[in-house]
Amino acid sequence: MRTPGEFFAAFEEAARDDPDAATQPDAVFKFVITGDHGGTWTLNLKRGASSPFVTTGDGPKEDASIHVASDDWVALTTGEMNPMRAFMSGKVRVDGDLKLAVNLPNVVNMVEGYGIGTQGPISSAIARFRGALAAIRRKHPSIDPTPPIVSGSLPWVGAGRALVRDPTEFFNECRKRHGDTFLVDAFGYRLLCLFSPAGVRNLWRLPEETASKALADLTLLSHKVPIELFEGRRTLPHDLFSRDDVEVYLDHLYKAVELELSALGESGSLELFAFTKRLAHRMGLASWGGMSAASDEQLDALAAHFEQLDASESFVHPHKALLAVATRKRRERRAMHAIESIFADMLQQRRSSTDVNDNDLFTRICASWDDVPSPAREVGIARDVIVVHMGSQSNLFAAMAWTLIFALRHPSIVDRILSEGDAVLDSFSHESIRMSQRSIVLRRVVSPVGVADEKATYRVQPGTLIATMLSVTNQSAAKGLDQFDEKNYRGASFVRTHDLPARELVTTYGHGKHMCPAHRFSTSAIRHSVGEIFRRYELRAEFDEPLPLPRQIGGVARADRPCIVRYMARR
């Protein structure tokens, strides 16, 4: 049987042979491995580091520490254990910067004879079968004291069928029966659901290192998106959307809106959600993929591939996540590689072009990969763009569509846009988003943590998902919030906080450290695009009152019916 010590000795040799590849993570990892043949090993994989890369025991101050039992480590590094399931089940615990954990497969796969996710087809099928049996038999994490439990008659599925049928109604019914704190066992997960003022407030305030929102989001995304997409990322959404970046992306955003609206012509009809989705793709790709990516030549192909890859679809249509798992994400990987190919061609053309904006966000993404040779550089750039685009655009189009729908219901806002300018849209769009939010907020417990409601402090064990749902709290936290009223906001600020027992009960883009990093971009995009649409066109709705899609469990709602609009250029 292989031992952890053998792996780290082999890694030192591999790192000496290819130090550039070894130091790609640009981080220090400490591995704390318990049980037989266990020990502590520190890997200095900072860029510019040299041998020895591995220190037995403590070494340089680590950026992340990985805790795992010896047997599980061997199973993980020989391809017998799925890394995502290892994290989700608590068999692997990461302290420190959780985002660095996505580099773990790259580290292991450097060593010949070892690999995460490198099984052959037969052993892979056997492992999946064993994993399915283990998932059915696995005991749920404990919570003390134990709140009421909502489950079902089928093992593993539990309450899942009722949950995905209409999540908002499901949680509302659970609250009526069990109060504001309860457990839901569904599809192998245990959710500690919190809906009381203290419970929701404390969910948002949990430390990331003990109850991770990033890991919870990755857990859901991994059902639809190839996990390798997140490995080794050098640019994430929060890296691009500081206050100083606004002027950088606004110029490309305005150009993208001009291109899309110019294509509409003098009159016609469109479906709002389809139109705003294409517009959002064009605005986003122009902002961090360069104007070439937003050109007519590239947009249709890129948008089609992003549709195949889009993780938000698994929240809107949960069966698509099951299909992605059943097919081992083949369609999603094809789409990812197709986007990589398109960006490789664009980067080739960019090298010979004299018309390159040295100050745009795409240039910044490219610069972060300047130390990497081709073709890994082109793949890295493309995947950074994919992650930023999916993280920033998956709900923008729906937010724009609902802003247009509510504007058609309240025509006075159109008169104000024409007379006062786009700024009036900030409060209007935030109220539209509040009413159409269907996001489920999740925190993945990675080490034992206490979370309190008004009645008790619950000791929650690793593997639990602590949850609340915005469609429940946004419209029930105070009197009148079940109705649209743009006066609830002044700009981006909710003005009725004095009516709330906890300010966290109403959310559009999140709270505190967990505010959506793209919220300024999204607000700017909605303000300009919706304002420009109404300045150029008169719109007439040809649909009945649309409602949010009942089965959606995440993101801004899609509509339950087509929303056809006739448009005619203003004279």
Side-chain angles (χ1 to χ4, degrees):
M1 175 181 172
R2 291 175 173 178
T3 67
E6 291 174 353
F7 166 79
F8 289 109
F11 179 83
E12 176 66 33
E13 293 183 12
R16 287 177 187 168
D17 292 340
D18 193 350
D20 289 339
T23 56
Q24 282 302 309
D26 193 27
V28 176
F29 296 93
K30 178 192 282 187
F31 292 84
V32 181
I33 300 178
T34 58
D36 292 343
H37 308 292
T40 299
W41 290 267
T42 302
L43 274 59
N44 181 8
L45 306 183
K46 288 283 190 181
R47 287 177 201 155
S50 58
S51 182
F53 295 94
V54 180
T55 302
T56 301
D58 292 334
K61 174 63 178 174
E62 71 273 9
D63 299 294
S65 60
I66 293 92
H67 300 256
V68 60
S70 179
D71 289 347
D72 292 332
W73 172 253
V74 172
L76 192 65
T77 56
T78 55
E80 295 178 10
M81 180 183 292
N82 180 286
M84 183 52 62
R85 289 199 187 99
F87 279 107
M88 292 189 297
S89 65
K91 290 185 176 181
V92 176
R93 190 182 91 239
V94 179
D95 293 337
D97 190 343
L98 285 165
K99 295 191 295 295
L100 293 173
V102 299
N103 289 289
L104 186 56
N106 290 342
V107 172
V108 173
N109 294 346
M110 277 195 64
V111 183
E112 186 176 353
Y114 292 83
I116 291 182
T118 57
Q119 299 167 306
I122 296 176
S123 58
S124 178
I126 293 172
R128 290 201 305 274
F129 177 70
R130 288 174 176 169
L133 287 178
I136 292 172
R137 295 169 179 166
R138 187 182 302 129
K139 291 184 177 179
H140 288 295
S142 63
I143 289 94
D144 184 29
T146 304
I149 300 176
V150 182
S151 189
S153 57
L154 293 176
W156 187 77
V157 174
R161 290 189 299 176
L163 172 62
V164 299
R165 191 176 300 120
D166 188 337
T168 302
E169 181 63 22
F170 173 82
F171 285 122
N172 279 325
E173 285 299 315
C174 288
R175 288 183 77 190
K176 291 177 184 177
R177 296 179 184 179
H178 305 293
D180 285 337
T181 301
F182 50 88
L183 294 176
V184 173
D185 293 336
F187 301 123
Y189 294 111
R190 167 154 282 187
L191 282 69
L192 173 59
C193 301
L194 302 172
F195 290 98
S196 72
V200 173
R201 180 193 304 119
N202 290 327
L203 180 154
W204 283 100
R205 294 181 180 181
L206 286 167
E208 178 69 13
E209 59 269 19
T210 56
S212 171
K213 186 176 186 298
L215 187 55
D217 291 344
L218 184 60
T219 299
L220 293 185
L221 291 172
S222 68
H223 294 308
K224 181 74 164 60
V225 179
I227 192 64
E228 61 266 29
L229 180 59
F230 300 102
E231 296 170 0
R233 299 283 50 80
R234 295 189 174 186
T235 306
L236 295 170
H238 66 263
D239 298 318
L240 292 182
F241 295 117
S242 69
R243 193 178 298 274
D244 296 335
D245 290 326
V246 174
E247 293 301 324
V248 176
Y249 59 67
L250 281 183
D251 179 56
H252 283 189
L253 188 152
Y254 294 162
K255 290 178 180 176
V257 172
E258 175 64 30
L259 282 171
E260 194 63 31
L261 294 188
S262 295
L264 288 179
E266 290 290 307
S267 63
S269 63
L270 53 83
E271 200 285 318
L272 278 180
F273 285 82
F275 169 72
T276 56
K277 179 174 282 191
R278 180 181 169 84
L279 176 58
H281 278 309
R282 199 188 287 266
M283 289 191 296
L285 288 169
S287 298
W288 42 78
M291 287 305 300
S292 294
S295 66
D296 290 335
E297 179 184 0
Q298 303 292 358
L299 181 65
D300 287 338
L302 283 170
H305 295 314
F306 271 108
E307 289 302 298
Q308 292 287 338
L309 196 56
D310 186 9
S312 69
E313 277 297 292
S314 62
F315 306 145
V316 181
H317 306 288
H319 69 279
K320 291 189 177 182
L322 297 176
L323 179 62
V325 172
T327 59
R328 302 186 68 188
K329 306 174 189 173
R330 282 193 291 271
R331 292 196 316 166
E332 290 73 18
R333 284 191 173 86
R334 282 198 299 269
M336 180 179 71
H337 294 321
I339 295 171
E340 292 166 6
S341 178
I342 291 172
F343 270 91
D345 291 342
M346 288 194 299
L347 288 164
Q348 179 67 32
Q349 296 171 12
R350 182 182 173 91
R351 280 191 283 270
S352 58
S353 174
T354 57
D355 185 23
V356 174
N357 185 344
D358 292 331
N359 297 315
D360 66 9
L361 301 184
F362 186 53
T363 298
R364 191 183 307 175
I365 292 175
C366 292
S368 71
W369 290 90
D370 280 349
D371 61 329
V372 179
S374 297
R377 177 176 184 268
E378 288 76 11
V379 170
I381 291 169
R383 291 187 181 183
D384 276 2
V385 172
I386 292 171
V387 169
V388 171
H389 191 67
M390 291 199 317
S392 308
Q393 298 300 291
S394 59
N395 290 301
L396 174 59
F397 80 92
M400 285 194 290
W402 283 108
T403 302
L404 287 163
I405 288 169
F406 280 109
L408 291 171
R409 292 176 182 172
H410 301 81
S412 62
I413 189 64
V414 179
D415 296 334
R416 292 179 59 202
I417 292 169
L418 297 177
S419 61
E420 301 174 37
D422 295 349
V424 300
L425 277 164
D426 286 354
S427 57
F428 196 90
S429 66
H430 276 74
E431 178 68 355
S432 301
I433 294 168
R434 181 188 72 81
M435 292 293 294
S436 54
Q437 265 287 9
R438 286 300 180 271
S439 292
I440 184 167
V441 180
L442 296 171
R443 308 293 295 271
R444 177 111 202 162
V445 178
V446 294
S447 59
V449 66
V451 60
D453 62 9
E454 288 79 357
K455 299 179 180 179
T457 296
Y458 302 92
R459 191 67 178 168
V460 187
Q461 296 305 309
T464 307
L465 290 168
I466 303 177
T468 194
M469 191 157 183
L470 303 189
S471 52
V472 174
T473 59
N474 270 0
Q475 299 187 34
S476 65
K479 186 177 179 180
L481 288 182
D482 57 338
Q483 299 297 316
F484 181 96
D485 185 353
E486 67 171 296
K487 294 185 180 65
N488 286 329
Y489 283 87
R490 183 178 300 113
S493 300
F494 185 74
V495 298
R496 292 186 57 190
T497 52
H498 58 280
D499 292 334
L500 303 178
R503 61 184 293 273
E504 293 83 359
L505 289 170
V506 171
T507 305
T508 51
Y509 288 101
H511 290 286
K513 293 180 179 179
H514 298 296
M515 177 74 75
C516 171
H519 72 277
R520 290 193 189 95
F521 174 88
S522 298
T523 300
S524 299
I526 295 171
R527 180 197 308 134
H528 178 71
S529 60
V530 173
E532 197 65 19
I533 288 168
F534 281 118
R535 274 191 295 276
R536 295 190 184 199
Y537 297 104
E538 295 180 15
L539 304 184
R540 185 177 77 247
E542 295 189 345
F543 52 82
D544 296 326
E545 294 291 309
L547 297 171
L549 195 66
R551 63 177 173 269
Q552 187 168 337
I553 185 167
V556 178
R558 282 48 165 172
D560 65 348
R561 68 200 69 185
C563 296
I564 306 298
V565 167
R566 295 285 301 178
Y567 62 90
M568 181 174 293
R570 292 184 182 276
R571 302 298 180 188

